[in-house]
Amino acid sequence: HEREHDREISELAARHSEEMERLRAELREEQRHLLDELQQQMAATHRAEQEQAQLQSQTLHSLELEALRLTLNNMHTSQLELTQSNLRKEKETALVELREMLNDKRAQEVAILQSRHQLEWERIKEQCLKEKEDL
């Protein structure tokens, strides 16, 4: 009876050992499977974070480019307005100078015509006097 009992204990111990080994193998397989899943999830999360960072970087770059474009556009507009203002002032100055020049020329021509008129009037007057004397 004792031998049979020892044999049963041995068998139970062997079955227990086999069962423990089988459970350990299942546990290792399940751990490996969970570890693979976790690594895949981490890789997917990493890819998603990289894509998000890249998208944010592109958005920031686009915003910076737009800000630069607007700044350049504003500078260009300001430069154009300044150039127009300068051209307007130059045009007004040139017109004033031209008006003054034309007024001076007109005054000179009037003076010349008055002088000619005076000379012609005196010549005619002298001629009249001469003709009176002759008569």
Side-chain angles (χ1 to χ4, degrees):
H1 187 68
E2 198 173 302
R3 269 192 251 145
E4 193 173 311
H5 183 31
D6 285 344
R7 187 181 57 79
E8 283 179 7
I9 289 178
S10 274
E11 283 178 10
L12 282 174
R15 271 191 270 156
H16 176 71
S17 183
E18 288 173 5
E19 184 66 20
M20 289 298 289
E21 204 47 49
R22 185 185 65 74
L23 288 173
R24 283 187 188 117
E26 282 180 15
L27 183 60
R28 280 192 298 268
E29 181 63 27
E30 189 173 336
Q31 284 177 334
R32 189 187 59 74
H33 179 68
L34 289 173
L35 185 60
D36 287 347
E37 280 183 19
L38 182 60
Q39 285 176 338
Q40 289 174 358
Q41 287 175 355
M42 288 177 66
T45 302
H46 182 68
R47 281 192 303 272
E49 287 174 352
Q50 279 183 326
E51 289 172 2
Q52 181 68 22
Q54 186 177 11
L55 182 62
Q56 286 176 345
S57 175
Q58 287 173 346
T59 302
L60 181 61
H61 183 68
S62 295
L63 289 173
E64 288 173 348
L65 285 176
E66 182 63 16
L68 285 173
R69 186 190 68 75
L70 289 173
T71 301
L72 183 60
N73 194 17
N74 288 341
M75 288 172 61
H76 183 66
T77 301
S78 296
Q79 186 66 34
L80 281 176
E81 289 172 355
L82 181 62
T83 301
Q84 285 178 335
S85 175
N86 288 340
L87 286 174
R88 193 175 305 113
K89 286 177 185 175
E90 288 175 13
K91 179 182 168 185
E92 288 171 2
T93 302
L95 285 173
V96 167
E97 289 174 1
L98 182 61
R99 188 174 294 123
E100 288 174 0
M101 189 178 76
L102 288 173
N103 285 339
D104 289 347
K105 187 173 180 179
R106 183 176 166 267
Q108 288 174 355
E109 288 176 354
V110 166
I112 290 171
L113 287 174
Q114 284 177 341
S115 174
R116 283 184 187 164
H117 182 265
Q118 183 68 30
L119 286 173
E120 184 69 23
W121 188 78
E122 288 188 16
R123 189 185 62 77
I124 292 173
K125 185 177 172 185
E126 285 179 18
Q127 193 177 13
C128 264
L129 285 174
K130 189 177 181 186
E131 286 179 7
K132 270 187 187 178
E133 285 177 12
D134 288 346
L135 284 174

